[in-house]
Amino acid sequence: MWTVNSIGRLGNQMGEYATLYALAKLNGHQAYILPAMHQYLATIFKITLPMISSEMVGKIHWRNYNLHDWMLEEYRHIQGKYVKLTGYPCSFTFYHHIRHEILQEFTFHDYIKEDSNKYLLQLRGLRKSVTYVGVHVRRGDYVNVMPQVWKGVVADKKYLDKAMNYFREKYHDAVFVVVSNGMAWCKEKIDASKGDVYFAGDGQESSPGRDFALIAHCNHTIMTIGTFGIWAAYLAGGETIYLANYTLPDSPFLNVFKPSATFLPEWIGIPADLSPLRPKS
């Protein structure tokens, strides 16, 4: 019986679930999820891993096995019948070889799918064709945590303009669906004067399911930073633009985060402007 810790918000929970699913399969063990994870994910997705009861969790003597945020050869040979994987794994290197199964696990419940498609259809209006681009702008605690703790930045107006113009030039019928936990900033910084930008996010961290489903149902993705955007892009397929090199080279963040194991090779990175982090001359 293998399980994984249930920590973090939606993107983290998805990363933990997918990693448990893949590693238990590789090592020939049955995976079970904790009640907290079931509560988080089963309301949104048609997940199939069984849940272990709280009572049972307490009775088992688990072997905690901490994971890096990327796959290592040794993870194919983890010993133990009662293993609890720990950490915040969110890397395609764990599960991309069974992508089809992972996408199957993260199939949205029908009512969520219908809700998303209904909203996107309304945005289409009288247009003959539409290419939907989901835009996730992660702000919240990251606005302070990135510069103060990780020597990094969050996405700025310049990045979003570049990313959106890429899609505008490529698809004449592009429509942008913006979700964020900093919607006031988005409305101030994102140019919606062309009539192709819709601010859909409710800005509430506590109800991310609807926002997530909305951009995962789009054709393409613009993400900023964070696992929420990574997973939305992974589920949407299509083209993805991400914020690249958003920390200084000596950032402690790079000890726990490996960009090459996080962003798919075909995704397009636009380098962040790090000048706000550099001392004023």
Side-chain angles (χ1 to χ4, degrees):
M1 184 182 276
W2 280 28
T3 191
V4 66
N5 54 206
S6 172
I7 49 177
R9 292 184 285 247
L10 183 59
N12 292 127
Q13 299 277 346
M14 292 176 73
E16 290 149 21
Y17 183 99
T19 302
L20 169 67
Y21 185 100
L23 290 187
K25 189 171 183 159
L26 269 177
N27 286 276
H29 290 275
Q30 173 61 52
Y32 288 80
I33 57 172
L34 299 176
M37 181 171 283
H38 185 269
Q39 208 177 337
Y40 223 110
L41 298 178
T43 54
I44 303 171
F45 306 110
K46 298 179 180 181
I47 52 173
T48 64
L49 290 184
M51 182 185 79
I52 182 173
S53 69
S54 302
E55 190 188 6
M56 184 68 86
V57 174
K59 286 180 180 173
I60 293 172
H61 185 64
W62 298 99
R63 179 194 174 203
N64 285 342
Y65 192 97
N66 192 53
L67 298 170
H68 280 290
D69 195 22
W70 52 87
M71 182 66 179
L72 294 174
E73 178 57 33
E74 67 202 54
Y75 300 158
R76 297 174 184 275
H77 316 284
I78 300 171
Q79 300 300 311
K81 286 185 178 177
Y82 297 98
V83 171
K84 182 193 276 185
L85 303 171
T86 62
Y88 289 90
C90 182
S91 166
F92 69 86
T93 55
F94 287 107
Y95 44 76
H96 199 52
H97 61 291
I98 49 168
R99 178 184 168 95
H100 178 71
E101 285 179 51
I102 297 301
L103 294 180
Q104 198 77 33
E105 289 298 308
F106 293 136
T107 300
F108 291 98
H109 288 299
D110 294 347
Y111 75 94
I112 294 177
K113 203 181 290 186
E114 284 160 19
D115 187 44
S116 300
N117 287 329
K118 189 176 160 188
Y119 180 87
L120 293 173
L121 204 58
Q122 282 173 343
L123 297 192
R124 181 175 174 168
L126 299 173
R127 296 178 178 92
K128 278 189 180 152
S129 67
V130 170
T131 299
Y132 296 101
V133 182
V135 184
H136 175 243
V137 183
R138 176 75 157 88
R139 290 188 62 77
D141 55 342
Y142 272 27
V143 174
N144 296 317
V145 171
M146 282 314 293
Q148 290 169 16
V149 179
W150 298 118
K151 296 186 183 179
V153 294
V154 293
D156 58 8
K157 173 180 166 48
K158 204 158 56 175
Y159 164 76
L160 291 167
D161 287 346
K162 272 186 196 169
M164 291 168 84
N165 286 335
Y166 168 86
F167 284 110
R168 284 189 178 114
E169 284 166 22
K170 190 160 183 180
Y171 304 99
H172 69 282
D173 57 357
V175 156
F176 301 91
V177 183
V178 181
V179 302
S180 177
N181 60 343
M183 197 50 86
W185 183 91
C186 293
K187 286 180 175 172
E188 188 190 323
K189 302 292 183 186
I190 295 174
D191 178 13
S193 63
K194 293 181 174 71
D196 59 358
V197 177
Y198 296 89
F199 298 102
D202 57 17
Q204 298 303 310
E205 285 265 341
S206 57
S207 57
R210 184 176 181 271
D211 289 355
F212 183 84
L214 210 47
I215 57 172
H217 279 86
C218 289
N219 303 106
H220 307 290
T221 311
I222 294 171
M223 56 166 288
T224 52
I225 54 178
T227 52
F228 186 101
I230 291 166
W231 272 109
Y234 195 78
L235 265 57
E239 288 188 81
T240 297
I241 291 185
Y242 66 92
L243 185 68
N245 308 329
Y246 55 82
T247 64
L248 293 174
D250 62 342
S251 164
F253 193 60
L254 298 174
N255 297 328
V256 294
F257 174 82
K258 199 182 266 191
S260 62
T262 305
F263 308 116
L264 290 175
E266 62 269 27
W267 290 1
I268 302 161
I270 294 179
D273 174 13
L274 297 176
S275 60
L277 298 173
R278 299 202 167 99
K280 306 281 182 282
S281 51

